[in-house]
Amino acid sequence: MENIYEILAIEQGCSSVELKEAFLSWKKEQQEILKHGKPNEQRQATERITKATILYKEAVKKIKNVSNDDDVNTIKRNVVRSNIVEVNPAETNLTSTSLTPRENNQILNIDKMDKIGKTLNNNFEKVSQIKNNFADINVKLLSIVIAVSICTVAGSLYIYNNTTSLKAIYYKVTGNYPEPPVPPVPPKMPEMPEVPKFLVDDEKISSDNKVKDDKKVDKKEKVAENKKETPVTDEDIAKKVFVDYNNALGNHNFDEAYNLMSPKRQKSMGSPSHFAEGFTDTLESKVTDLRLAKTGKDELVFDYVLESKDRMKGNKVLYQTFKGQVHMFKVNGQWKVGYSESKKTGETIK
C-alpha cells in the first residue's frame, strides 16, 4: 500500500516539520495542475490531493503518538530511579536474616515520618475546625447587620409618616397653610416683523411646486414603462450567474461560488474545502466579454473572455487572459455553471 513518504519521495524517519514542508510543496504543484490543467488532469489532481491529505494526517498522528510514548517511558524511568535504595555490599549479611545498621536507620526514619504525619493531620483538623468556627461567626454577624438595617429603615418610615400627620393637624387647627410657590413668568417672544405683500406671491409658488410634482410623476411613470418593456430572459439570468461565480472567486467567497455550480461540476471539483484550495492565490477573476453561442433544452452555451490575477512569490502578480466556452444548465428552475473549456491567450508578470 502506498504511503505519504513514497508519494512525497522522502525518508520515512523524517521529523514532522520536514514532512509538513514536503507535503505543502507537493500540494502546491497539484494546485497548479488544478488551475491550468485539462479537465481529466484536474480530476486526477483532486483525487491525489484527497488521498495524500488523509495519509499525511495519519502520519502526523503516528509521529505525535511515538513522541508521547517516549515522554511517558522517560517519566517512568525517572520514578523507578528515584525509588531505588542503594545498598552497600559490605553492610549486607547473607547468612542471617537480621537487618543491617543502615536498614535499621531507614526503619527508624519511617517511624519518625509516621509520627510527623499524624501530628500534621491533627494540626490540619484543628485549623479546619477554627475556620468553620470563624465561618459561623461571620454568618451570625451578617444576620445581625441585616436585622439592624431593616429596623433603621422601618423606624425612618414611621417617623416620616408621623411628622407628616402632625403637620396636617397643625395646618387644620391654625389655618396657616403654606403659600404655594409662584411659577416663573415665561419670557415674551419678540414679535416678528410683517413681510411686505409685494415680496411674496403665493399663487406663483404653488404653481411652481405643482409643475415640479408633475415632472416627478412623469419620470416615475417612464421608469415603470421601461421596466415593463424590458422583461428578464433566461439568457440574462444565466449571464449574471456566470459573472457572479467569477466575482465570488476573486473575492474569496468560495461557498457562494460552489453553490452556483451544477451538481456534476461540484462532484468533479470535490468538497468545498478542496475546491477552495485551488483558488487561494486568486486575486481577481473578471468576465470581460460574454455572448450566447448555442441554445438547447435547459442549456445555454456562451463564448467568454476572462481576465485573472494570481499572487506569486516575491510579491509579484500573474496576469492572464483566457478565451473559452461555458455550458450553463437549468437545475430545478435555477441556472447553474456547468463544465467549461478555455485557452490561455495572454500572460504577463508584474
Side-chain angles (χ1 to χ4, degrees):
M1 182 179 178
E2 191 176 14
N3 56 29
I4 190 64
Y5 300 100
E6 294 177 357
I7 295 173
L8 303 181
I10 60 175
E11 295 182 359
Q12 191 164 356
C14 65
S15 64
S16 60
V17 176
E18 294 173 345
L19 178 61
K20 183 178 180 181
E21 292 177 355
F23 176 71
L24 292 177
S25 176
W26 177 85
K27 188 176 181 181
K28 195 164 187 179
E29 295 176 359
Q30 300 302 316
Q31 288 176 351
E32 290 294 327
I33 298 174
L34 287 175
K35 290 181 183 178
H36 310 299
K38 296 180 180 179
N40 188 26
E41 295 175 347
Q42 291 177 349
R43 187 179 69 257
Q44 293 176 358
T46 302
E47 292 175 355
R48 286 195 296 270
I49 290 173
T50 304
K51 181 180 178 181
T53 302
I54 295 170
L55 295 174
Y56 168 73
K57 292 180 179 179
E58 291 178 353
V60 170
K61 285 182 180 179
K62 289 180 180 179
I63 292 173
K64 289 182 178 179
N65 291 333
V66 170
S67 62
N68 291 334
D69 292 340
D70 293 340
D71 293 339
V72 171
N73 291 331
T74 303
I75 293 170
K76 288 181 178 179
R77 287 195 294 271
N78 292 334
V79 171
V80 171
R81 288 171 184 168
S82 63
N83 290 323
I84 290 174
V85 179
E86 295 181 359
V87 179
N88 189 351
E91 296 177 356
T92 58
N93 188 359
L94 299 175
T95 60
S96 63
T97 58
S98 60
L99 299 175
T100 62
R102 182 166 180 156
E103 291 173 343
N104 287 327
N105 290 333
Q106 290 177 355
I107 293 172
L108 291 175
N109 290 333
I110 292 170
D111 293 337
K112 289 180 181 179
M113 292 302 294
D114 290 339
K115 292 179 181 179
I116 293 169
K118 291 178 181 179
T119 304
L120 290 174
N121 289 333
N122 293 331
N123 290 336
F124 280 127
E125 290 177 359
K126 290 179 181 179
V127 170
S128 61
Q129 186 175 2
I130 291 169
K131 286 184 178 180
N132 293 332
N133 292 335
F134 273 112
D136 295 337
I137 292 170
N138 288 334
V139 171
K140 291 178 181 179
L141 288 175
L142 180 61
S143 61
I144 291 171
V145 170
I146 294 171
V148 171
S149 302
I150 293 171
C151 293
T152 303
V153 173
S156 301
L157 294 174
Y158 177 78
I159 293 169
Y160 174 77
N161 290 331
N162 287 337
T163 53
T164 52
S165 60
L166 289 173
K167 286 181 181 179
I169 294 169
Y170 171 76
Y171 293 148
K172 285 183 181 180
V173 173
T174 60
N176 296 326
Y177 291 96
E179 295 181 359
V182 180
V185 180
K188 292 184 179 180
M189 297 297 293
E191 295 181 357
M192 298 296 294
E194 293 183 0
V195 181
K197 291 184 178 180
F198 64 86
L199 294 179
V200 179
D201 190 352
D202 295 337
E203 293 181 358
K204 186 176 181 181
I205 292 173
S206 62
S207 62
D208 291 341
N209 291 333
K210 187 176 181 181
V211 171
K212 290 180 180 179
D213 293 338
D214 292 339
K215 288 182 179 179
K216 290 181 180 178
V217 172
D218 293 339
K219 286 182 179 179
K220 289 181 180 179
E221 290 178 353
K222 287 181 180 179
V223 170
E225 289 177 359
N226 290 332
K227 288 183 178 180
K228 291 179 181 178
E229 290 175 359
T230 56
V232 179
T233 62
D234 285 339
E235 179 183 348
D236 297 330
I237 297 171
K239 282 183 176 180
K240 186 177 183 304
V241 170
F242 185 67
V243 172
D244 291 344
Y245 167 78
N246 285 279
N247 290 337
L249 292 178
N251 296 327
H252 287 197
N253 295 329
F254 300 124
D255 290 338
E256 179 184 350
Y258 191 84
N259 292 329
L260 291 175
M261 295 191 300
S262 66
K264 289 185 179 179
R265 186 177 177 88
Q266 288 177 348
K267 187 176 181 181
S268 65
M269 298 302 290
S271 65
S273 60
H274 291 153
F275 170 73
E277 288 176 357
F279 299 94
T280 52
D281 295 329
T282 301
L283 300 175
E284 184 179 5
S285 180
K286 183 179 179 182
V287 179
T288 58
D289 190 15
L290 189 62
R291 299 181 183 181
L292 182 64
K294 297 178 184 178
T295 60
K297 185 179 180 182
D298 295 334
E299 181 182 3
L300 295 175
V301 182
F302 293 94
D303 293 328
Y304 68 89
V305 178
L306 180 70
E307 294 179 356
S308 67
K309 297 179 184 178
D310 295 288
R311 187 187 297 106
M312 297 181 67
K313 292 182 179 179
N315 294 327
K316 292 184 179 181
V317 178
L318 174 64
Y319 295 81
Q320 298 181 98
T321 306
F322 299 91
K323 277 187 177 181
Q325 277 192 343
V326 59
H327 294 252
M328 304 293 292
F329 296 99
K330 199 170 189 179
V331 181
N332 296 328
Q334 294 182 346
W335 286 99
K336 300 289 184 179
V337 180
Y339 62 91
S340 61
E341 300 174 352
S342 62
K343 183 179 179 181
K344 189 190 297 183
T345 59
E347 178 181 336
T348 56
I349 298 175
K350 293 184 182 179

